[in-house]
Amino acid sequence: MMPAQVAAPDGVLLILALMLPSIGLLAIFVLGHSRPERIALPVLAANLAVALIVALQVGHSGQAATYRLGGWLPPLGITLRADGLSAALIAMAALILFVVAIYARGNFASKAGGSESRQPMVFWTLLLGLSTALNTVFLAQDLFSLFVALELLTFSAVPLVCLEGSRETLRAALRYLLFALAGSVLYLIGVALLYGAYGTLDIASLHQVTRADRATSIALGLMIAGLMAKAALFPLHLWLPPAHAGAPAPASAVLSALVVKAPFFLILRLWFDVAPQPQPVIAGTMLAALGAASILVCSVLALRQARLKLMVAYSTVAQVGYLFLVFPLVMGSEAAVPWASIGWTGGVLQLVSHAFAKASMFLAAGLIAEAMGHDRIDDLGGAAEAVPISIAAFALAGLSLMGLPPAGGFVAKVMLLTAAVVSANWWIAATILAGGLLAAGYVFRVIGRAFADPAGGAPPPKAVARSRELAVLSLAGVALLLGFLPLQPFAYLGIGQGGMP
Amino acid sequence: MSLLVDLVLVALILMAAVWTVLVRDRRDAVIAFIVLGLLLSLVWMRLYAVDVALTEAAVGGGATGLVLLRACARLLPVEAEGRLPGPGTQIAAGLLSAIAAAGLAAVVLSPPVPYPSLAALAAENIHQVGLGNPVTAVLLAYRSLDTLLEKVVLVLAVIGVWALTPDAFWGGAPGSLKSKHASGALDLLARVLPPFGIVVGIYLVWNGADHPGGTFQGGTVLAAMWLLMMMADLADPPEIRLKRLRRLVVFGPAVFIAAGFAGIFMSGWFLSYPPDYAKPIIVAVEAALALSIAVILGLLVAGPAAEPPKR
Amino acid sequence: MSAPTLYGLCAAALVGIGLFGLILHPTPLRKVISFNLVGCGAFLFFGIAARRGAGAGFAGDPIPQALVITGIVVAFAATALAVALILRMLEAGASTVDAKPLPPDDLSP
Amino acid sequence: MSVVLDAFTVITVTAGLVFFLAGTVGLLRFPDALTRLHALTKADNLGLGLIVLGLLPQCPDITSALKLIAIWVLVQFAGASASQLIAQFVRRNEPGP
Amino acid sequence: MPEFLYAAAALVLLLTGLGLMRMLWGPSPADRLMAAQLLGTGGGAIALLIAIASGTMAIIDIALTLALLAAFAAVALTLGEPGTKTRAGEGEQ
């Protein structure tokens, strides 16, 4: 099997998306440099450029970009593929990682001339590790490569949680690792069963051949269960709040905004691209019910948190819950293909807008904690004066979580709501509305406290760098801009879906 | 008659597995798990997956066992064994696990006919990479991306383990692996075995191109020899700041990535090899990887730095 | 019964036993060991797929064999990381490592 | 010729099996750890030695035969060292017999 | 001849299994240390018998690896011994 076609330039970019961050992390590791951010920032900038070019090319050509590793055709070889959805998501991930990196210079910039120190070295290498992992998750077309990508994600994310090294963060990291490993191994069993049933792991090939039989259902059931643990879907969410709240702010931002989205993205791929259609209604309803439980339970828990970062972390579980509402909504829609339905589009938009909003929120929470010296919500009085831009960003991002106009979360939630009403899933509609109200409760609680007078005897707030505040605001701004998208399925996200070229 | 071997083997494995989970003492559980690993390598042999059998023997019997035993030695005085949950939870856990096992067993009992396989496709193309061992062809050619990314996983694992170093010790050496009790037998073993082991390790890597064996198997054997020398106090765990050490860790992945990009220029695709030079390139990449794997596995077992760097 | 089927049933049992241990044991080291048991079961499923797919002059389909080798490596790395975390946690002074939920005020900002 | 070699194999391997059996009986019956260790190392190594000896005529090529011998030497050496280590362990951890 | 060798392999496996059971149940930790040792020799013998019986010479390499690492496992096991107290809880130096 000689290479059957000449490598298209856009295809090579997919390789760069995987390899650039890997090379960057190896370089930081081997150079033992005292200033690792000097390698990481340019690499992440290049990664952003690559992702944007891929996204533009996909939009321009109206076709998915593909690359066959080593020229080997599936099912023997592995294919990378950027369809509209993947291209949008790698661009999203690259942008958030880049902005977080700019912000993180304030946390993990090392002094000139010093020797290598632990936290900067670990943070910057693992941030690049996350970049490789996310790009692989979004681009790989092979179920086993996706397993390796999930492991890349786990190995990059877990040490970030306990970067600080306190007992509690170590414990949170360990619990995260155990959940992630259990999830991986369930996924792996599913991969083995699918290979045994079909003799291929290529998603496009599987799409053609999957049957609705016992082996396939058990395989997909195990894989989805494993991914649910990684995506922190209720009741497998226990690991997430302490892990995301214990990590340093830039790490929390990436974990909440991007890392939990990767397993959800894979569930989406399994559900729409691998599983035999149509899916059993009961399975979709069960996922949505767990999503609804996540929204309600964790929103209430978020309301009751005393610490800002824990509140934001619980809000992540709730907001990820929205994503799982998609499955019955798509089944109930009359659109010919899932990606032409507003339920599917609303879910994707929720994924993207939550990513920007939550990244902004965690970074803002980090700045607020730096300025005030603590993150107790009740004692945040005076924060609005001390870090006005961060509070503004927090509020703007909060709009997205609540689903108020003009935020991106508004469009997403309205689309989900409409889909729920159209398909007569009234309980889903009610959950979406209740989740919005609860989110309003926990966001306004913070904003309200921030505008209160400072408590007597509190130490004066410390100043934080304006550039970092602007980075936070820019992410909230993107979340807001997404709100100006029209309320309809986007042709872009449909590019290359469903095994089409 | 050969089925008799299989039946006995399965019975022993199930016994070791139940023992691993149910035995009270932590260290006994680890030992039972090591026994299970060795038995599994016999299973892989019965399944004619010799490459996997070698890997399982090296990792299950060697590396994983050592990591877990070290942990036991350090945990025993500190951590209580922990209390098992109440009977309700136990029954629920048992039921859930039994359902999962029953479902999987049902899948096993109804295999598709004919059984799907990529063996024919792998055989058809193997001449293009000039290798005799189809498993190596999969690892280094057909599915080389997985192998490459797995090496990145290993480097990340090293960083993750090192990340657990207390700040004051950053750059220093991992805690000594040496046995608390000096022993002439251990000393002798650690002097005589490594030369054997290094020969076997290199043989496995070299042999892997055409016969069962390969980078990972060879690398693990090399790592085991290094660890043996560390345990006998013939070698010290290296300081993690050492540039030389880090170059060794990165060497294999770097060569692999470089070969990948070279492929774009030589034959059009990332990680493709020009047919005439495929075998030498692959063997070179394998040798580099084996070296890095040996160092990485040793470092993963040695753990985070436990003393400040020496001046 | 053919050998692959026998080992397939063995794999199913290993997964069940490992899952039971994963849920049953409160201490992380035992959970890690149980995770490895489930992993062994998962690998064996690839193994029977390989053996049943024998053909073209190979005693087994090489693709699943290669996947298992990658899987074993990754599982080892995961075990090493988990063990390092457990030990570090003890050094940091945790008296017990039971996975109890954290009290909300236990986290410093 | 081949019949003679086959007979040699059967006899030697059977003798090896007897030593394995003896070793196992010793393991099951001997009263304390040190004597059990004795049973284990002596019987098993002799058993393996005889099996290797019996298999040598069946090897299709000289490399395999050499490997077989190497394995036996390795097990002899490693087994001796390991049983030393275990014996030291026994002495440290158990009040003397 | 293969039939005989397979039978021999099964017998060695059975004996090794019996020995293993003894080790796992055995009263002292030292018994468990011997388990790995036993599998090194027993496993090696089984691998060799099957290699010749099935004509798969590559299996000899498994025996080689097992033999090499059996000693390694024994060292690791003595390393895993608790340095400060025995299982019975009495002090030990």
Side-chain angles (χ1 to χ4, degrees), chain A residues 189 192, chain B residues 40, chain C residues 8 10-12 14-15 36-46:
Chain A
I189 296 172
Chain B
L40 278 172
Chain C
C10 178
L14 276 180
V15 170
N36 272 295
L37 274 183
V38 186
C40 290
F43 300 148
L44 264 188
F45 280 115
F46 282 106

Side-chain angles (χ1 to χ4, degrees), chain C residues 3 6 10 12 14 17 24 26 28 31 41-42 45 50-51 56-57 73 87 89 95 100 102:
Chain C
L6 182 64
C10 178
L14 276 180
I17 295 167
L24 182 77
K31 278 190 194 290
F45 280 115
R51 183 66 184 131
V73 182
L87 294 176
M89 201 162 57
S95 55
K100 274 191 244 98
L102 288 178

Side-chain angles (χ1 to χ4, degrees), chain B residues 57-78:
Chain B
V59 179
T64 306
L66 181 54
V67 166
L68 293 171
L69 283 169
R70 266 197 101 196
C72 287
R74 289 168 66 186
L75 280 173
L76 201 71
V78 190

Side-chain angles (χ1 to χ4, degrees), chain A residues 331-343:
Chain A
M331 288 178 183
S333 94
E334 292 175 0
V337 284
W339 43 98
S341 71
I342 51 172

Side-chain angles (χ1 to χ4, degrees), chain A residues 307-313 315 356-369 375 377 380 383 387-402 407 439-451 469 472-477 479:
Chain A
R307 302 271 188 167
L308 185 56
K309 285 188 79 181
L310 264 176
M311 185 212 91
V312 182
S315 144
F356 283 102
K358 190 48 63 72
S360 167
M361 225 174 196
F362 255 122
L363 294 182
L367 286 183
I368 293 169
D375 77 338
I377 298 174
L380 283 183
V387 276
I389 302 180
S390 302
I391 296 290
F394 192 93
L396 284 180
L399 288 181
S400 209
L401 301 195
M402 291 180 255
Y442 58 72
V443 173
F444 281 129
R445 177 166 160 239
V446 174
I447 304 295
R449 294 306 311 174
F451 278 96
E469 283 207 287
V472 180
L473 191 62
S474 71
L475 287 175

Side-chain angles (χ1 to χ4, degrees), chain B residues 152-191:
Chain B
V152 180
V153 169
L154 285 178
V155 175
L156 285 172
V158 171
I159 296 173
V161 168
W162 286 2
L164 299 168
T165 302
D167 272 318
F169 298 159
W170 182 256
S176 170
L177 277 88
K178 106 181 142 191
S179 176
K180 285 182 201 72
H181 311 277
S183 152
L186 177 56
D187 196 65
L188 182 68
L189 194 66
R191 282 176 202 280

